[in-house]
Structure formats: C-alpha cells, structure tokens
Amino acid sequence: MLGISILSVCVLYYVYIRKQDVSPMEDVDTSIVDYGPIANMPETIIPDKIKPDDDFSFVEQDQVNEIPPSSTYTLFTQHPPPKSLIPQDQKTASRQRQIVDAFRHAWKGYSKDAFGKDEYQPLTHSGHDWIPGGIGLMIIDSLDTLMLMNLTDEYNEARTWIETKLDFNKDQDVNVFETTIRVLGGLLSAYHLSDNDPLYLEKAVDLGDRLMYAFNSKSGIPYSGVKLLDGKPVGFGPSSTAEATTIQLEFKYLSHLTGDMKYWDAAERVMERMHELVEGKGSGAIDGLVPIYIDAVSGNFASREIRLGSRGDSYYEYLLKQYLQTDKSEIKYRERYDQAVDGIKKHLIQYSYPKHYLYIAELVDSSKPKEIHPKMDHLVCFMGGSFVLGATEGIPLHDLDPLDKRDREDFHMGQELTRTCYEMYNMTATGLASEIVYFNTDPNSEIDGDMEIHTRDTHNLLRPETLESIFLLYRITGDERYREWGWNIFESFEKYTKLPEGGYAALKDVTTIPPPMDNRMDTFYLAETLKYLYLLFSPDDIIPLDRYVLNTEAHPLPVFTP
C-alpha cells in the first residue's frame, strides 16, 4: 500500500507541473543520484507529448561540428545529462543516423501492419499476440530505444497506446521471465528515462503485483508461468535456471522505487536458494556452475547439464549486475560471480583448431566434468562483454589503475570470446551468424576451418549478443576496431534482412545467397540489437556504464544505493 499511496501523490504532482517547458541539458552535479523512492520527484518532468520541432533530426555531415551541444533537447532524462546526442566526427554521426533510420524502418513496418500486437510477422504484414489482447510486448520493449533515439512521433504513439489500451487484467497465463525482462523491465526503464512519468510506474506496479504470485511455491523458486487475472501458477514442471534467476534486477528496482520490499524479498529468496545449491554437495552444481533446469516445487536442480547458452546464460550475467546495480554494496554477488568465472575457466574454456579461437563449451553431465561438448550458442556471446564488465566494473581503461592479474586474464578472455563471436559472422556467406556453431577440437583434422554449422542451426533471429559485447568492449577500450566490427554486422543486416516496405525479417539460412527469410521480427531486434548499435556509435556519456546497468533485454536501469 505504501507504493500505491506514494504513487497517487506523484500523479497529482505530475499533472500539476507537466505544463512546464522542456529544459535543455545543463551541467549538473555528477555524483551518483538516488532515483527512488518515487516521492523524490525531480523539478522538471518531460511531458507525454513533445513538440514536433523538438525531434531528433540529423544534419548533413559537413554541419555536424557546427551543432552546439548545449542546444540539444532530449526526449529522455539522464543524470548527469549527456553533452550531446550526436558524435562530433562526421563518419560516426553518419553511421549513427543510419542506425536510427533502420529503427524507423523497422517501426514503420510494425506500426503500419501490426501496431499494438505483441510480435510482428513482416512477410505476411501481420502480427500476433502472446495472449488474447496482448501485453504490449513490442511497444514496451521498444520504448526506451525510442526515447534514447529521440523519436518523438513514434514515442508519443507508443505512450498513447500504453495509456489507453494496455491492460494486464487478462484471464491468461504468461511466461514470468519473458514478461519480466521485456515488459516490466521496459516500463521501469521508461519510468526513469521519462523523468518519472507516473504512467509507467503505475503499470509496472500493476504487472509486478500480478507476477508476484509465481513465487508462491514451497521453495520460493518461481513457477515458469502465472495467470495475470488471478495469479494462478502454471508450469509445474522444471523451470529454466536462467528464467528463475533473471528477474532480480527488475524486482529489486521496483522495491527501490515503491518502498515495498515484497518484490526484493521474493527475488532475493531465489538467489539464496541458488547459493545453498551451489555450496551444497550432490546438487549438480560444480565450482559455481549450475545446471540449466530447476524444480520450483522441490527447489532442487532437475538436470546435470551445464551451459552458458539457452536456459543457463543470464544467471551468470545477473550475478555481476546485481552487484553493480546496488552501487557495489552487495559484495556477495561479486564473490559468487567470481566463483562462477573460476568454474568457467576450469571446466568450459576451450580453444579450437587450427586458429585457436577461444570458446565456451558445454557439460552434458556435471558429474563427468571432463566430458565436454564443443558446441556454442550465439546466446553465449554476451559473455565476452560480461568478462570485460566484470574486470573493469564499467570504468574505461584510461580511467583505471593497471588491472591486476585476475582482471587482466578475465579482460583477455572477454576480448578473445568476442573475437570468436565476430568470426561466427565472418564465416558465412551473408556475414551473419548462425544460431549455433560447433568447434573443431582435433589438431589433425582435415575439416576446413575452426567452426562448422549444422543444417538445423543455420538460422539467424537478428540476435543482439555479439553486438552487446562489441558495444561494451568499445566503451571500455575506445578501440575503433569494435565500431568497425559492429558496422560490418549492421551492413549485413541491412543487405539481407531489410524489407522494402518496412520491417526486417529473420533468416532461415545464413549460409546461402540469397538467404531464405523467416516470417518474424522479434522484439529484441528493436529493444537490444539496434539499441546496442545506436549506443556503439553515440557519445560515451549516453547511458554511462558506471551509472547504469542494462538488464538482459538491454533496458537501462540506474545504479542506486539500497
């Protein structure tokens, strides 16, 4: 009730002051800002409608250096504000503009053919909902990208839909993990970036309360699904370990904003049970690595398979990010992350032949740790960025003292894994990576190349993980080669996945020209892939890594002190 009562006060306050003009960016105190609870409202609020002439329009290349940074208006609020949205060099500004144009092209197709639908099917010019009536998946997942790119017309269209159409009171079950990272995470990020527009927090609290019923298991491990209308849990079989342990950033931040600790406590209970399993004997965990299935009823692991791809990946991501999110105050998550990285080094890091690409293998059975499987999902490619983020904690190298031995080793692993992931793109006819690759482990093999793609794995879903790591490596090193890698991937997306009337399509086979297309444009293409590309070619002070943590769907959440 505390969160709701505070929210009511904020709504009245917001209505009173929303008539103020949008203020230009100014120099402010650069110390860490506390963004909650919601009673701590800033003095100015970005209105829900921005004048068209405030839109983010790019200028010709020869005019880029003439733009005074202080004259730039932003659709989003950040503390401290960026000095400019536009890079000062012409080449980077031109590339940034083309990425924004790509987002607009994707949004054009969705808006024209399927606006309001959860997902877009671009080849048939249609859309579909996860549940009848939808839950705003595409719109909310794209919302903070719209804000960061300053796309005011599209943003106003999206906000109006959320205000007038979005309703979570539906007699249908949803996947707790996907709904949390995409919808709850998107709403919370939009709340922060909009300078605390109460619409987004109101919707986030409504959704969070409905998802809370998933935690009503004996073990505290959430059920994989829950009915939005009455909270009835569904999915009584094993849950993916990643799904149960990749909701913590969102629920903890919701508690920070509302002052209601029920969200935090539920999320924390999951992590404490995970810690018990990691430290216990016979659980299936090994040296900080955890199996990919867990049972919500018993609270025990339901398999012995360990991988950092599907169903396991973001458990490791959120160990580090929970530590960073709370301004490094929860040391236990740093320690658990380091333990897991030690386990990765000991059991999973391998090198291919003949070029010695570093990759992360899989364990089919944790009781037989020497029997590794040389398979790596594209999903694993986020880990290159995580290694680098863990080694530097988001601080650029030029601002750090020399790294110690452990951090140097982790940093190097991050660089080498990202190189491998980039080569997954380079090896195909389209310049786009397949979903899965297998590595050559035999130094005497006559196989041509270090990696091969099996027929069932040739598809590309427009995934973001390699670009995520490329972005993080560029931000931390300033090495321009990472921008070149990102640009090469972007050009391949433009060449082979772009549709003439709007939208982009996934590919069924990246190894043939022309590649056959698939009738899907997943929400993460707008929420993550194009956002990481945009940030890669934007000034470094937009979403600085020492003040923001991006959730696993690339929604920026501010660092705070509990």
Side-chain angles (χ1 to χ4, degrees):
M1 296 301 296
L2 175 60
I4 299 299
S5 61
I6 296 176
L7 177 61
S8 301
V9 173
C10 289
V11 170
L12 294 174
Y13 182 58
Y14 180 83
V15 170
Y16 174 72
I17 66 174
R18 67 189 293 180
K19 297 180 181 178
Q20 299 183 56
D21 293 332
V22 180
S23 299
M25 296 181 295
E26 299 174 353
D27 292 333
V28 297
D29 184 357
T30 58
S31 59
I32 289 288
V33 179
D34 188 350
Y35 300 108
I38 59 174
N40 296 339
M41 297 287 285
E43 294 183 357
T44 58
I45 296 291
I46 298 290
D48 59 337
K49 298 287 185 182
I50 308 295
K51 297 176 183 179
D53 57 359
D54 286 340
D55 204 354
F56 181 18
S57 57
F58 284 83
V59 297
E60 295 297 323
Q61 290 188 7
D62 60 357
Q63 295 178 311
V64 170
N65 292 325
E66 298 176 10
I67 299 176
S70 61
S71 69
T72 304
Y73 289 84
T74 61
L75 181 56
F76 67 95
T77 297
Q78 175 188 296
H79 302 281
K83 295 177 181 178
S84 174
L85 296 183
I86 303 173
Q88 291 302 300
D89 69 283
Q90 297 177 7
K91 178 181 176 181
T92 307
S94 174
R95 290 181 171 184
Q96 185 201 51
R97 180 187 69 243
Q98 292 177 65
I99 292 163
V100 173
D101 289 344
F103 184 97
R104 277 181 158 150
H105 187 78
W107 186 264
K108 172 187 173 183
Y110 169 70
S111 181
K112 179 179 63 176
D113 295 333
F115 188 74
K117 294 292 185 180
D118 285 337
E119 292 194 325
Y120 182 34
Q121 297 166 309
L123 300 185
T124 55
H125 301 282
S126 60
H128 71 92
D129 288 324
W130 278 15
I131 64 175
I135 54 173
L137 195 68
M138 181 71 80
I139 290 175
I140 297 172
D141 217 8
S142 306
L143 196 59
D144 53 23
T145 312
L146 290 168
M147 300 172 79
L148 292 172
M149 291 183 176
N150 244 26
L151 298 178
T152 58
D153 290 342
E154 294 88 343
Y155 170 75
N156 288 333
E157 180 184 32
R159 188 192 183 282
T160 297
W161 187 91
I162 293 170
E163 184 174 36
T164 60
K165 302 292 185 182
L166 182 62
D167 180 13
F168 295 126
N169 195 41
K170 300 181 186 300
D171 189 17
Q172 188 69 38
D173 61 276
V174 296
N175 179 276
V176 173
F177 161 72
E178 295 289 358
T179 305
T180 297
I181 65 169
R182 301 194 198 198
V183 184
L184 183 59
L187 289 168
L188 291 172
S189 179
Y191 174 71
H192 167 72
L193 293 175
S194 66
D195 226 356
N196 298 5
D197 183 339
L199 170 67
Y200 300 128
L201 187 58
E202 177 186 353
K203 296 294 186 181
V205 169
D206 181 22
L207 178 59
D209 286 344
R210 296 172 189 274
L211 296 176
M212 278 290 293
Y213 288 99
F215 295 92
N216 290 343
S217 67
K218 183 179 295 186
S219 69
I221 301 297
Y223 295 107
S224 61
V226 67
K227 278 193 173 183
L228 289 176
L229 181 64
D230 57 14
K232 182 178 179 181
V234 297
F236 291 93
S239 301
S240 297
T241 301
E243 293 189 358
T245 57
T246 312
I247 51 181
Q248 280 65 30
L249 296 184
E250 298 80 4
F251 277 91
K252 287 183 174 183
Y253 187 49
L254 186 57
S255 279
H256 180 68
L257 291 175
T258 63
D260 190 338
M261 292 301 293
K262 68 181 180 182
Y263 312 108
W264 185 299
D265 292 342
E268 188 73 1
R269 186 182 175 194
V270 176
M271 299 311 298
E272 291 311 305
R273 177 55 185 164
M274 289 295 298
H275 185 59
E276 291 173 1
L277 293 171
V278 167
E279 296 300 312
K281 294 183 178 180
S283 69
I286 176 173
D287 295 321
L289 306 178
V290 297
I292 61 173
Y293 288 104
I294 190 167
D295 184 76
V297 177
S298 68
N300 295 321
F301 292 124
S303 77
R304 290 188 176 273
E305 183 177 0
I306 291 175
R307 62 174 181 245
L308 269 67
S310 61
R311 305 189 183 280
D313 47 3
S314 44
Y315 162 72
Y316 306 95
E317 176 188 359
Y318 269 36
L319 287 179
L320 175 64
K321 288 184 175 179
Q322 285 181 82
Y323 164 71
L324 296 176
Q325 179 188 36
T326 55
D327 200 16
K328 308 172 189 177
S329 63
E330 295 183 286
I331 303 299
K332 62 184 178 181
Y333 288 113
R334 175 80 232 197
E335 295 170 345
R336 295 174 192 179
Y337 169 78
D338 287 340
Q339 180 187 17
V341 171
D342 288 342
I344 293 169
K345 294 176 186 177
K346 181 177 180 179
H347 298 289
L348 303 181
I349 293 293
Q350 302 291 319
Y351 294 88
S352 66
Y353 294 98
K355 295 184 179 179
H356 299 283
Y357 292 143
L358 181 149
Y359 67 95
I360 297 179
E362 299 180 355
L363 289 180
V364 177
D365 186 339
S366 60
S367 67
K368 302 174 182 178
K370 294 189 180 300
E371 298 181 10
I372 60 173
H373 189 34
K375 163 182 170 285
M376 192 171 84
D377 298 355
H378 185 275
L379 288 167
V380 178
C381 290
F382 85 93
M383 199 66 207
S386 286
F387 286 143
V388 171
L389 190 62
T392 63
E393 298 186 351
I395 306 299
L397 283 180
H398 60 72
D399 291 334
L400 284 174
D401 293 331
L403 299 178
D404 62 24
K405 181 177 182 298
R406 179 195 178 90
D407 288 337
R408 286 198 309 272
E409 187 176 88
D410 291 357
F411 193 91
H412 180 70
M413 280 198 311
Q415 288 180 305
E416 289 302 303
L417 180 60
T418 303
R419 171 177 170 249
T420 301
C421 290
Y422 180 63
E423 293 301 330
M424 290 170 63
Y425 288 75
N426 268 348
M427 70 180 289
T428 71
T430 58
L432 294 171
S434 62
E435 183 74 356
I436 297 170
V437 295
Y438 292 80
F439 290 87
N440 179 23
T441 61
D442 182 1
N444 300 314
S445 172
E446 296 182 358
I447 295 176
D448 183 21
D450 290 59
M451 295 179 274
E452 63 175 336
I453 302 170
H454 293 181
T455 303
R456 64 180 178 272
D457 304 322
T458 59
H459 53 288
N460 180 290
L461 302 181
L462 314 178
R463 286 198 186 277
E465 289 79 19
T466 295
L467 288 166
E468 175 183 356
S469 289
I470 287 172
F471 157 67
L472 289 169
L473 271 160
Y474 174 74
R475 274 288 184 91
I476 290 170
T477 67
D479 189 335
E480 286 294 327
R481 69 173 160 163
Y482 296 116
R483 276 183 164 169
E484 293 305 312
W485 288 4
W487 186 250
N488 291 340
I489 294 171
F490 174 71
E491 287 191 312
S492 293
F493 279 133
E494 288 291 286
K495 184 173 182 178
Y496 293 111
T497 72
K498 188 175 185 176
L499 298 171
E501 297 180 8
Y504 291 76
L507 301 180
K508 294 180 179 180
D509 187 351
V510 297
T511 67
T512 61
I513 301 292
M517 289 183 165
D518 198 1
N519 191 25
R520 59 188 294 177
M521 184 183 82
D522 287 81
T523 69
F524 53 68
Y525 185 61
L526 300 182
E528 298 185 75
T529 305
L530 290 175
K531 181 186 290 152
Y532 283 127
L533 278 164
Y534 176 75
L535 292 174
L536 177 63
F537 291 97
S538 293
D540 290 354
D541 60 352
I542 296 178
I543 308 298
L545 297 178
D546 60 337
R547 298 175 186 274
Y548 286 88
V549 173
L550 287 92
N551 85 337
T552 198
E553 193 73 6
H555 296 305
L557 301 175
V559 169
F560 65 87
T561 303

